[in-house]
Amino acid sequence: MTLSSRPTLRECIEGRSNNLDFLRFAAASGVIASHAFPLGEGPKEGTEPLTVFTHGQVSLGIVCVAVFLVISGVLISRSWERGQDARGFLHARTLRIFPGLAVSLLLTAFGLGAVFTTLPLRDYFASAETYTFVLRNLTLIEPQWALPGVFQSNVYASAVNGSLWTLKYEVGFYLVVLGLGLAKLLRKDLALVGWCLTAGVSFLHIGRLGFWPELGLYFGGGMVLYLWRDRVRMSPWLALGCVAVLTGTAMAGTGLKVAMGSCGAYLVMYLAFLPSRLAHFGRHGDFSYGVYIYAFPVQQAVTALMGGPMPWWQNALLSFPPTLLLGLLSWRYVERLALRVKRRSGEAPRLATVSSPAP
């Protein structure tokens, strides 16, 4: 079968079947495995094999973040293009992220924190940090990692939910799409130029820019693929070529992040639309966001309950069932209800499920 006979990304997106729910769930689960190394064994002892293999370029957690952001780049760009209504766009994004996050923060601060703090409860609830943990993490501007007296003796001390760092970038990219859309600049040529410039900046390692260039490669990669969807064809040979490039840059110790934003983005989309039984994975709901926002505190709680360092696989195995349960409850009683409000507001039809925020 020639390349020209392969389906385009547009044809795949407009189809009824995809594996997006499974890929997001797999990414959220991968973050648990990645975090199990520092949270179970300690930051000095728990070095991931993938980090070693890639010469320190990425961890499994970053790869999972990239998967989330590539999918998000496609779906968020699609959402704007189909609606082109700023109020509806912001309303939909807000309902997808903040209700679940708010409930998670409240349960963490006033439930888990109260159980695990070493302070007297009176002092814990009298501390301003207990309340700023909710407020600062909910606004995403300046995250707060610690709660008074919580997890201070863990091998990864004090941090209660370190996964939340990615959410401000996710929301930032939503606003980029909104701004480009309002300015009529969400075009395939400009998007490709912007991605190339971001790739160049990523090699400069400018500390003041934080993770914006790197994560921009992944979200931007999804955006570019979507905008060029009429030209992008889903070919197994191109997918194999992408695997080769990713492996080569990993072994070379340089260029992997740029490869992930280009070849990796293509590979994610290829897997997303590869015919499989996994297309029905999300029929009971999208638990990936809930799994992501609850996993870190659950893993820290497991370490605390086990009394100290443990093998990474033990932390991951013990943490996964309660995290999955919390993700299911978050979906059923918080996120799904918020999505019903969004649908009533007239949001454009979705592709599978709405993009979950990145880990």
Side-chain angles (χ1 to χ4, degrees):
M1 184 180 292
T2 62
L3 181 61
S4 61
S5 62
R6 297 288 179 181
T8 64
L9 182 56
R10 174 188 284 275
E11 292 170 336
C12 292
I13 288 175
E14 293 178 351
R16 293 173 177 252
S17 178
N18 64 73
N19 308 313
L20 290 171
D21 289 304
F22 173 76
L23 288 177
R24 280 196 292 259
F25 182 78
S29 302
V31 171
I32 295 177
S34 179
H35 285 168
F37 284 89
L39 298 185
E41 299 180 0
K44 294 183 178 180
E45 300 296 331
T47 302
E48 287 184 35
L50 184 61
T51 303
V52 175
F53 177 72
T54 63
H55 302 276
Q57 293 184 84
V58 299
S59 64
L60 175 60
I62 288 295
V63 171
C64 294
V65 167
V67 171
F68 270 104
L69 287 174
V70 166
I71 295 173
S72 185
V74 171
L75 297 187
I76 298 304
S77 300
R78 182 178 187 264
S79 176
W80 171 260
E81 190 174 80
R82 292 172 68 92
Q84 299 194 17
D85 170 59
R87 181 177 180 182
F89 181 87
L90 289 173
H91 188 225
R93 305 287 78 76
T94 299
L95 289 174
R96 186 62 184 102
I97 292 181
F98 290 100
L101 176 61
V103 172
S104 170
L105 292 172
L106 289 170
L107 290 176
T108 301
F110 301 112
L112 179 143
V115 170
F116 283 94
T117 184
T118 56
L119 300 178
L121 285 181
R122 181 175 180 177
D123 294 341
Y124 177 78
F125 286 113
S127 173
E129 291 184 354
T130 303
Y131 304 93
T132 57
F133 177 86
V134 176
L135 296 176
R136 287 173 57 180
N137 288 320
L138 191 59
T139 60
L140 306 180
I141 298 174
E142 190 179 356
Q144 176 182 322
W145 310 124
L147 281 167
V150 179
F151 302 143
Q152 290 183 339
S153 299
N154 278 15
V155 291
Y156 197 94
S158 298
V160 176
N161 198 340
S163 295
L164 301 182
W165 71 272
T166 62
L167 295 184
K168 74 172 184 179
Y169 295 97
E170 179 87 11
V171 172
F173 294 135
Y174 294 169
L175 296 178
V176 168
V177 171
L178 175 61
L180 291 174
L182 289 174
K184 307 297 182 183
L185 296 176
L186 193 62
R187 307 200 311 260
K188 61 183 183 181
D189 52 346
L190 294 179
L192 183 57
V193 170
W195 187 91
C196 291
L197 291 174
T198 302
V201 171
S202 70
F203 281 107
L204 300 178
H205 305 293
I206 302 174
R208 292 189 300 274
L209 295 179
F211 285 91
W212 288 107
E214 178 183 349
L215 301 188
L217 286 172
Y218 312 143
F219 186 92
M223 180 193 298
V224 170
L225 284 175
Y226 176 76
L227 295 174
W228 286 85
R229 62 195 180 279
D230 290 320
R231 300 282 188 90
V232 176
R233 294 190 177 273
M234 298 288 100
S235 165
W237 298 111
L238 289 177
L240 285 174
C242 288
V243 172
V245 171
L246 291 167
T247 304
T249 52
M251 296 177 66
T254 184
L256 178 58
K257 294 173 183 178
V258 173
M260 285 170 55
S262 51
C263 294
Y266 179 89
L267 190 59
V268 169
M269 286 297 100
Y270 178 79
L271 295 175
F273 297 105
L274 189 67
S276 75
R277 296 180 181 179
L278 296 174
H280 304 290
F281 182 85
R283 63 184 179 276
H284 299 302
D286 179 8
F287 312 135
S288 57
Y289 183 39
V291 167
Y292 175 71
I293 59 178
Y294 284 100
F296 198 105
V298 168
Q299 289 182 267
Q300 283 285 56
V302 165
T303 300
L305 290 172
M306 296 298 290
M310 67 183 72
W312 72 269
W313 56 266
Q314 186 177 12
N315 181 277
L317 287 177
L318 292 175
S319 301
F320 187 78
T323 301
L324 180 59
L325 176 60
L326 288 168
L328 188 153
L329 294 174
S330 177
W331 167 259
R332 182 165 186 175
Y333 295 108
V334 182
E335 299 167 53
R336 186 173 65 171
L337 299 180
L339 289 179
R340 288 176 179 173
V341 173
K342 187 184 74 170
R343 292 193 192 106
R344 288 198 295 268
S345 70
E347 168 77 348
R350 297 178 297 145
L351 173 63
T353 56
V354 178
S355 171
S356 298

